[in-house]
C-alpha cells in the first residue's frame, strides 16, 4: 500500500506458497517460490498485530480499507490476502528473527515458559502486582488484557497481590507434585483439581483457540456469541475494574489486593447498551465481550489513555492470528478484545461525577 508504514518486501515470484508459524504474539510468514529453478530464496516476514491488525482473504477488486500489505493469487478473478490494520499499531519486519526480549510462548512452548518464570523470580519485575506482570512479554509471551482477567478470576487471586508472593507458592506445589510416594493417577488428579496460575496461562488461551477453530470463520453466526459466553470476568456485568499503574484496565471480582492504586473500583454497568449498526470495516477476527452482546460486530475504540499505553506496549507486543487460503493453520495466543462504547461512556460519566462536574452525558 502507498500509505503503509512497513518496509518494502523484496520478493517477486509468479507462483509461490505462504506458510506461517506463531510464537506468542508474533506471527512469521515464509514466502517460498514454487519453481526451484528460479533460484529465489524464501522470504520471511515477522508480524505484530497490535489492537486492530488481521489478515483477510478477499477479491482483489474489493480491497478493504487499510490493507497495508497484499499477496495476490493467480486465479481468475484474482483474490488478495491482505494485512489489514486500521489503527496502524501493527507492523512487519523482514527476516525470521523473533523479538529477543520475548520469552517462550505460553501456548506452544509451555514447559520452557514455565521454567523461564520460576527460575527468574528474583527479577525486580516480580515486585509488581501480578496483574501487571502478566502483561510482561519477557515472561508471559502471549497473555493480553482480557486473558489476565480471566486467569486471575478463575483462581480467585486478587489482581494487585504481589507477583512474587503468588508465584513463589508454585515452587512448593511443584515439590508436592513430584512426591515419589504419589501414584501417577494421584498426580494427574491433583493437577486437575488444583491448576496453578502458570498452567492456566496455557490452558485458558487454548480454550479460546479451540473455540475459534470449531467456528473457523469470524463471519459465522455463532462466532461472537460463543466468545461472549466464554468470558467469565472481562467486561462481564457486575465485575469491578481498576486502572493499573500502567493505565491498563483490569477486571476482577472481590478485593483488588494490597498493591492496588488509590481509588474505588468501578462496577461494570448491568444495563445493556442499545443495538448499534456494525462497522463494515471492523477487523473480522474480533472478540466481542458479553457486555456488548446487543451490538455484535460493532467497532468500539478504547479509552485514549489505554490506547496510548497499548501503542507503547506494541513496541514489544504483537499479533493476532491470521489464516490464509492454502496455508497451514496457526495457533497464536488470542488477541485483546476492544472496550465497548457503553463502558467507555459509563467511565466518562463516572469521571465527571467524581470531579464534581454537572451536565448531561
Amino acid at each position: 500500500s502507498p500509505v503503509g508504514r512497513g518496509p518494502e518486501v523484496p520478493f517477486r515470484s509468479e507462483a509461490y506458497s505462504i506458510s506461517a508459524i506463531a510464537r506468542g504474539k508474533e506471527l512469521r510468514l515464509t514466502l517460498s517460490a514454487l519453481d526451484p529453478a528460479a533460484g529465489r530464496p524464501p522470504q520471511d516476514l515477522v508480524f505484530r498485530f497490535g489492537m486492530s491488525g488481521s489478515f483477510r482473504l478477499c477479491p482483489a477488486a474489493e480491497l478493504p480499507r487499510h490493507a497495508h500489505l497484499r499477496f495476490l493469487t493467480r486465479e481468475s478473478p484474482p483474490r488478495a490476502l491482505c494485512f489489514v490494520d486500521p489503527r496502524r499499531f501493527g507492523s512487519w519486519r523482514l527476516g525470521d528473527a523473533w523479538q529477543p526480549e520475548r520469552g517462550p510462548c505460553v501456548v506452544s512452548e509451555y514447559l520452557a515458559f514455565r521454567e523461564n518464570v520460576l527460575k527468574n523470580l528474583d527479577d525486580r519485575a516480580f515486585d509488581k502486582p501480578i496483574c501487571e506482570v502478566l502483561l510482561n512479554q519477557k515472561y508471559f509471551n502471549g497473555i493480553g488484557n482480557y486473558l489476565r482477567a480471566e486467569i486471575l478470576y478463575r483462581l480467585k487471586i486478587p489482581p494487585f497481590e504481589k507477583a512474587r508472593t503468588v508465584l513463589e507458592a508454585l515452587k512448593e506445589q511443584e515439590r508436592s507434585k513430584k512426591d515419589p510416594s504419589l501414584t501417577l493417577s494421584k498426580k494427574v488428579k491433583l493437577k486437575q483439581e488444583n491448576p496453578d496460575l502458570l498452567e492456566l496461562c496455557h490452558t485458558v488461551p487454548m480454550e479460546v483457540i479451540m473455540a475459534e477453530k470449531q467456528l473457523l470463520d469470524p463471519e459465522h453466526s455463532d462466532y461472537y456469541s460463543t466468545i461472549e459466553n466464554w468470558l467469565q470476568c472481562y467486561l462481564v456485568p457486575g465485575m469491578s475494574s481498576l486502572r493499573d499503574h500502567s493505565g491498563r484496565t483490569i477486571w476482577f471480582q472481590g478485593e483488588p489486593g494490597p498493591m492496588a492504586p488509590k481509588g474505588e473500583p468501578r462496577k461494570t454497568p448491568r444495563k445493556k447498551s442499545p443495538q448499534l449498526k456494525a462497522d463494515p470495516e471492523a477487523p473480522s477476527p474480533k472478540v466481542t465481550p458479553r457486555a456488548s452482546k446487543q451490538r455484535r460486530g460493532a467497532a468500539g475504540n478504547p479509552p485514549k489513555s489505554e490506547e496510548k499505553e497499548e501503542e507503547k506496549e506494541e513496541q514489544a507486543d504483537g499479533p493476532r492470528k491470521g489464516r490464509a487460503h492454502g496455508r497451514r493453520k496457526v495457533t497464536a495466543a488470542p488477541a485483546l478484545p476492544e472496550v465497548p462504547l457503553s463502558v467507555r461512556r459509563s467511565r466518562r460519566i463516572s469521571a465527571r461525577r467524581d470531579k464534581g462536574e454537572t451536565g448531561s452525558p
Side-chain angles (χ1 to χ4, degrees):
S1 165
V3 298
R5 296 178 180 176
E8 180 71 20
V9 180
F11 182 87
R12 298 291 183 275
S13 178
E14 287 299 316
Y16 61 96
S17 65
I18 302 178
S19 59
I21 186 171
R23 184 175 187 266
K25 291 190 174 185
E26 292 185 290
L27 180 74
R28 183 168 66 207
L29 297 188
T30 300
L31 314 179
S32 305
L34 296 183
D35 183 7
R40 178 170 292 280
Q43 175 67 60
D44 292 302
L45 306 170
V46 177
F47 287 81
R48 290 181 295 141
F49 284 58
M51 293 179 70
S52 61
S54 65
F55 276 104
R56 297 194 213 176
L57 187 63
C58 59
E62 302 175 12
L63 293 177
R65 295 178 59 193
H66 312 292
H68 299 304
L69 192 61
R70 308 151 188 175
F71 304 94
L72 301 177
T73 68
R74 298 187 68 189
E75 60 193 334
S76 182
R79 290 184 293 172
L81 175 67
C82 305
F83 175 61
V84 183
D85 186 18
R87 295 198 183 114
R88 302 190 189 187
F89 285 176
S91 65
W92 68 87
R93 62 184 184 277
L94 304 179
D96 61 355
W98 306 112
Q99 282 187 313
E101 289 302 310
R102 289 181 179 272
C105 175
V106 298
V107 171
S108 61
E109 303 169 295
Y110 169 66
L111 293 180
F113 148 70
R114 187 181 184 91
E115 180 183 5
N116 184 47
V117 173
L118 293 180
K119 75 178 183 181
N120 288 295
L121 290 181
D122 57 345
D123 191 325
R124 292 179 60 185
F126 295 96
D127 291 337
K128 296 182 178 181
I130 185 62
C131 68
E132 297 177 15
V133 175
L134 284 173
L135 295 182
N136 186 334
Q137 301 299 295
K138 181 179 179 180
Y139 295 110
F140 295 88
N141 185 11
I143 300 300
N145 204 21
Y146 83 99
L147 285 173
R148 67 171 177 170
E150 296 298 318
I151 291 166
L152 294 175
Y153 171 78
R154 293 190 187 193
L155 294 173
K156 307 305 178 188
I157 295 175
F160 292 95
E161 184 65 65
K162 190 174 183 178
R164 188 176 292 106
T165 301
V166 174
L167 296 168
E168 282 283 4
L170 301 188
K171 289 187 175 181
E172 182 60 34
Q173 291 182 28
E174 287 217 324
R175 282 192 286 268
S176 64
K177 290 177 183 178
K178 293 178 181 178
D179 185 347
S181 64
L182 293 177
T183 63
L184 179 60
S185 60
K186 287 184 177 179
K187 288 181 180 180
V188 171
K189 184 177 180 181
L190 182 65
K191 185 175 181 179
Q192 291 175 340
E193 293 177 350
N194 301 281
D196 63 44
L197 184 140
L198 298 182
E199 289 171 351
L200 262 63
C201 285
H202 171 73
T203 58
V204 172
M206 285 301 300
E207 289 178 14
V208 182
I209 290 169
M210 296 310 296
E212 291 181 337
K213 278 187 174 182
Q214 291 175 4
L215 299 175
L216 294 179
D217 185 1
E219 299 300 325
H220 192 287
S221 59
D222 293 332
Y223 181 86
Y224 294 110
S225 60
T226 298
I227 302 302
E228 290 162 9
N229 292 331
W230 175 84
L231 290 168
Q232 299 178 31
C233 178
Y234 183 84
L235 283 173
V236 171
M239 295 294 168
S240 301
S241 67
L242 271 175
R243 290 293 182 90
D244 64 23
H245 297 91
S246 299
R248 305 295 301 279
T249 301
I250 175 69
W251 303 84
F252 61 95
Q253 185 180 55
E255 294 298 319
M259 301 181 73
K262 294 181 180 179
E264 291 295 321
R266 303 188 187 282
K267 288 285 186 179
T268 310
R270 292 184 177 274
K271 188 176 180 180
K272 292 184 178 181
S273 60
Q275 187 170 356
L276 299 176
K277 292 183 179 180
D279 179 359
E281 292 301 329
S284 55
K286 181 186 295 182
V287 178
T288 306
R290 182 183 301 168
S292 59
K293 279 186 180 180
Q294 295 271 335
R295 56 186 205 90
R296 187 172 301 163
N301 295 320
K304 287 192 175 181
S305 60
E306 188 162 335
E307 183 173 307
K308 290 178 182 178
E309 179 61 32
E310 181 74 18
E311 187 170 12
K312 288 188 294 182
E313 182 182 326
E314 284 308 319
Q315 295 175 7
D317 209 60
R320 309 175 65 162
K321 298 196 299 294
R323 297 190 182 94
H325 182 72
R327 64 188 173 99
R328 91 184 144 83
K329 296 174 184 176
V330 179
T331 56
L336 174 70
E338 297 180 5
V339 179
L341 183 62
S342 61
V343 174
R344 298 201 314 277
R345 285 174 175 166
S346 174
R347 289 174 180 163
R348 290 197 295 267
I349 295 168
S350 299
R352 283 198 291 267
R353 288 173 178 167
D354 291 343
K355 294 178 182 179
E357 297 179 14
T358 59
S360 58

